[in-house]
Amino acid sequence: MTVSRQDFEDAIAAYWGVKQTQREMSAIKNAVGAGTAGDVRGGKHFDDIAALLAKFFLEAGYTPQEIRVSKGLELPGYYRPQKKWDVVVTHQDILVAAFELKALGGPSFSKNYNNRVEEALGSAVDLRRAALANHFPGEKPWLGYFFIMEDAEGSRSTVDLRRGAFPVEDAWRGTSYQDRFAIFCDRLVAEGLYDSACYITSSAENPKPVELKESLDWRHFSAAITARLTYLKELGFPQHAGMLPL
């Protein structure tokens, strides 16, 4: 069982309700409980993407009980007691991986743009500070960010900047919401807030994912997940008999 590019494209299509993923992915969703995660992710749109990510860890020998997508998603914070993530993988005292799965759609992209930015920043900063406070005594937590921007005229068009007390950084001038999120995700990883990010644009009419920046594409994201698994494997994790049959 390997995670393929086709798995990725099928999961994005399923996000838009365009198609059902193959039987294997459905079995993974059932194994890790993605079908009951509606209250966690504000609907079941991300179920197939959660199953896609779960597949990496099942293949590496983590059990379905260690891969959380419905219950037990709360992780301790520092500035607040705890916060729900969208996919959480643990093993003994190790936070193997935690993922935020988010999207921004139209027609009013401006309405939730800042909210998405603040959510991603707040989640990462809170957990990173909690790790410094030794709330995660095992290996350093690994964080991933997966974001879908709806491809539409409103997200492709240049966004005006308002005159303020100080000038805006040149990098933001003449940018669309699609451009701005590419800059944002790139900086999230560069600053070490997230270990890796996958940023795509897509739509119900044309679900095939478009990757605007190479460093944020699926190939780099999946390689980063694999690198995390390889790192832990070299340390002897997971320490059990291997994955359970689906």
Side-chain angles (χ1 to χ4, degrees):
M1 182 173 68
T2 59
V3 182
S4 67
R5 173 78 188 190
Q6 191 61 54
D7 288 336
F8 165 58
E9 295 190 2
D10 286 349
I12 300 302
Y15 170 87
W16 296 107
V18 175
K19 65 182 295 184
Q20 296 291 324
T21 50
Q22 71 271 35
R23 182 176 300 176
E24 180 186 75
M25 295 301 283
S26 295
I28 291 172
K29 285 198 295 181
N30 291 334
V32 299
T36 62
D39 61 326
V40 176
R41 290 189 296 277
K44 297 182 180 180
H45 293 82
F46 275 108
D47 280 0
D48 289 271
I49 295 170
L52 177 73
L53 298 175
K55 189 175 179 182
F56 283 96
F57 301 94
L58 288 169
E59 184 181 33
Y62 295 87
T63 67
Q65 293 74 27
E66 294 171 319
I67 305 167
R68 297 170 171 85
V69 297
S70 56
K71 296 181 179 180
L73 290 159
E74 292 82 3
L75 293 175
Y78 183 80
Y79 301 102
R80 53 189 164 184
Q82 55 185 189
K83 190 265 178 188
K84 284 184 178 179
W85 289 66
D86 293 302
V87 178
V88 173
V89 184
T90 60
H91 180 72
Q92 298 179 3
D93 62 350
I94 298 171
L95 178 54
V96 176
F99 295 90
E100 284 274 78
L101 313 178
K102 301 299 179 185
L104 181 62
S108 179
F109 290 90
S110 61
K111 184 176 181 180
N112 288 314
Y113 167 74
N114 281 331
N115 290 339
R116 294 294 178 268
V117 170
E118 290 162 8
E119 288 165 359
L121 289 172
S123 296
V125 168
D126 197 23
L127 191 142
R128 293 298 187 196
R129 186 60 184 84
L132 289 176
N134 203 35
H135 294 346
F136 304 95
E139 295 296 317
K140 179 182 177 182
W142 189 98
L143 305 181
Y145 188 65
F146 190 102
F147 194 86
I148 301 174
M149 173 76 74
E150 182 182 3
D151 183 33
E153 180 61 29
S155 66
R156 291 191 298 265
S157 301
T158 299
V159 183
D160 293 333
L161 292 169
R162 296 179 180 177
R163 183 181 296 275
F166 294 91
V168 174
E169 183 184 354
D170 287 342
W172 301 108
R173 298 187 182 279
T175 57
S176 64
Y177 285 116
Q178 291 190 13
D179 299 327
R180 290 181 178 189
F181 239 89
I183 296 170
F184 172 61
C185 289
D186 196 39
R187 291 182 176 185
L188 284 178
V189 177
E191 294 293 324
L193 292 173
Y194 289 85
D195 293 281
S196 188
C198 183
Y199 167 55
I200 68 160
T201 65
S202 180
S203 67
E205 295 73 24
N206 186 14
K208 188 176 180 64
V210 175
E211 296 143 305
L212 300 180
K213 189 174 180 61
E214 184 178 7
S215 61
L216 302 172
D217 66 12
W218 172 251
R219 187 168 64 96
H220 282 77
F221 192 62
S222 61
I225 297 171
T226 301
R228 172 61 166 176
L229 292 168
T230 300
Y231 169 80
L232 292 176
K233 182 179 179 181
E234 289 296 315
L235 297 177
F237 301 108
Q239 294 180 346
H240 46 56
M243 63 172 285
L244 299 179
L246 298 178

